[in-house]
Structure formats: structure tokens, C-alpha cells
Amino acid sequence: MSRVIVLTTGGTIASRHGKDAVTAGTTPADLLEGLDVEHREIFDRGSYGFGEAELRLIARTALAAADEADGVVVTHGTDTMEETAFLTALTHTGDRPIVFCGAQRPADDPDRDGPRNLRDAVRLAAHPEAAGLGVMIAMGGRAWSARHATKTHTLDLEAFSAPDMGPLATLMADDVQVVARPVRHGGLPPAVLDEPLPRVDLVTAHAGADGALIRAAAASGARGVVVAALGTGNVPPDMAAAIEEVMASGVTMVVVSRCAGGPVVPRYGGPGGGASLAASGVTFGGSLRPSHARLLLAVSLAAPVS
């Protein structure tokens, strides 16, 4: 028998309908009824309330559990699940799988999806072929690499997908089928999770956007700013001017796309064009989604230089 440890943090999967709103109210024992696994509670609240400290604690706890067990499952609210899973993936280099899961419907909903998602995640974490798959998000009958997974629907049961990569596994009834294996890059040192990360802000470009928010981020002490740019990596001219201005003051700038899928490619010239930004020294973040790029930049700024 494989040893699986389940870490619970709250979220919709552990919530129930109240008088006016959905709130936490399901104990870990009730959540895990019928599953032969060990469990440990980290939090019991919605992930929209998680900050950087909570993300780091969950990641550290998951990494420690992976040193003890054959696989780890983390139940998590879907609002910020992709961020916690990605942060965990940045520092996880072992073969033991860490699987994040949640739910779109509360635990007392007649058509709740949490029990199935949790059973699927536990079966995946315990499956021999899951070794080496790294950190994943498993919901709606599929498992996605945390490097690529993002929430793409607010309410649909198939809430997550990976626009730039297909699923790693399909989860059907009692069957786990691993259909792809990710390319895993060398992880950052787990010690970066021990201390607060540098402030990195995220600013989204839109038609006619000026540079006020980028300048405000720098003035507020951000050591880095990620810009979710238009299309393949373009921004309005005044935003481009602000990018060059704050870079000159020592702030690291990274450009990704606000599009759901596809990489940034610096091909257009002129004020605000991606090619012009690249020529000024801006870093382009490939196919990283904005929430992922923000965390990667923060961890990279915090990682000790060897």
C-alpha cells in the first residue's frame, strides 16, 4: 500500500452553505471520510484570503510531507490554487508527486464535485506511474502540470486547463492513465520559502493604459514588476516609457501576455512594441501566465546567488 498524506487548507471543497454565503464548515475527518490516508490541517479558509506567507507555508509543508510519504495531496481553494501549486513546483525536485485539488461546489451541494476530485487526487498520488510527474493540479477528471495549469472558468467543474500543454493524466472511475510526462527544470532552493519574498507587483495592459500603476509599484517598494501585456508582448507608449523609467531605477521588469495561451514574442517595433521593449532590456517571460511569472520573479529575486 502506498502512503499518501493529505494536507487540508479549506476552500470550497470544505465549505457549506450558510444563511447568506458559503463558508468553511467541513472538518478534515468529514472531508476524508472513506479514504485510508493520513491527514494534517494547515488552514480552514478560502484561498482568496491567502497571502504570500500562507503560500510559502503550504509549499514548505507539502515539501516536508513528500519526504515522508509516497505521495502528497493538498486540498485548496481554487482562487489561488494555481499560485500555490506553482510556487511548490519551483522548489520540488523529488520524484514523489504532490497533487493539488479542490472543488467548484460546496461540500453540502447535492451535486458536489469535491469527493470525486479528492479521490482522484489520492489515487493519482499513490499511483506508481505518477513518480516523477512533479506538482500537479487534479480536477474534473484530469491532472495538469503546475507549471502550466491555470483556472480558466469561474464555475464549470472542469475549472482548470493548460492552454500551452495538454493534461499529464486522465482520471476515470478507478483508472489512472498517465498520458504525458513534463520536462522538469532544476528547482530553486527550498530555503527561499523560509523568509518573506520581495515585493513584485502585477500590472495589466489595456488600450490607452498609461504608466501610473508601474510608477506607483516602484514608488511602493516593488523590486520587480510583471506586465501582462497585449498580444505577443506589446504595451501602450506611456506604459513603455514608465517601464524604461523604473528599470533605470533598478526595478526588474518582466513582460508576459494577458492572453490565456501562447508565448510573448518581441516582434513589433515603435513606441510600446515588443521588439522595442526587448531592445531596452526588458525580460520576456515566454509562455508563463501572469500569476506564475510574478511568483517566479519574486523567488528568483530572493534566491541566493551562487
Side-chain angles (χ1 to χ4, degrees), residues 218-233:
S220 297
R223 286 183 54 193
V225 177
V226 172
V227 176
L230 309 170
T232 57

Side-chain angles (χ1 to χ4, degrees), residues 251-287:
V251 177
T252 301
M253 299 296 306
V254 173
V255 168
V256 295
S257 180
R258 72 176 193 178
C259 298
V264 282
V265 181
R267 59 170 57 166
Y268 295 101
S276 299
L277 292 174
S280 71
V282 174
T283 298
F284 276 66
S287 61

Side-chain angles (χ1 to χ4, degrees), residues 11-27:
T12 301
I13 194 171
S15 297
R16 294 179 178 273
H17 291 91
K19 181 180 178 181
D20 300 313
V22 173
T23 57
T26 301
T27 67

Side-chain angles (χ1 to χ4, degrees), residues 102-266:
Q104 291 285 76
R105 294 172 181 167
D108 59 350
D109 192 292
D111 196 23
R112 59 190 178 275
D113 58 322
R116 176 196 168 178
N117 289 338
L118 182 54
R119 287 194 304 270
D120 285 348
V122 169
R123 285 191 292 108
L124 177 59
H127 200 279
E129 291 188 26
L133 293 182
V135 183
M136 295 168 276
I137 290 177
M139 284 187 61
R142 292 181 176 85
W144 314 89
S145 168
R147 161 62 179 81
H148 298 278
T150 186
K151 188 172 183 181
T152 51
H153 201 286
T154 58
L155 296 174
D156 196 278
L157 299 188
E158 296 184 10
F160 286 82
S161 66
D164 294 309
M165 182 179 181
L168 299 182
T170 56
L171 313 167
M172 303 174 292
D174 294 324
D175 187 28
V176 173
Q177 293 186 357
V178 175
V179 297
R181 305 197 75 85
V183 175
R184 296 176 65 193
H185 302 285
L188 291 164
V192 300
L193 301 174
D194 294 339
E195 301 293 336
L197 297 174
R199 175 169 179 162
V200 173
D201 287 331
L202 173 61
V203 177
T204 300
H206 57 82
D210 61 21
L213 294 180
I214 291 174
R215 295 182 178 99
S220 297
R223 286 183 54 193
V225 177
V226 172
V227 176
L230 309 170
T232 57
N234 312 301
V235 298
D238 189 62
M239 182 174 271
I243 289 172
E244 295 190 28
E245 177 185 315
V246 301
M247 272 201 311
S249 70
V251 177
T252 301
M253 299 296 306
V254 173
V255 168
V256 295
S257 180
R258 72 176 193 178
C259 298
V264 282
V265 181

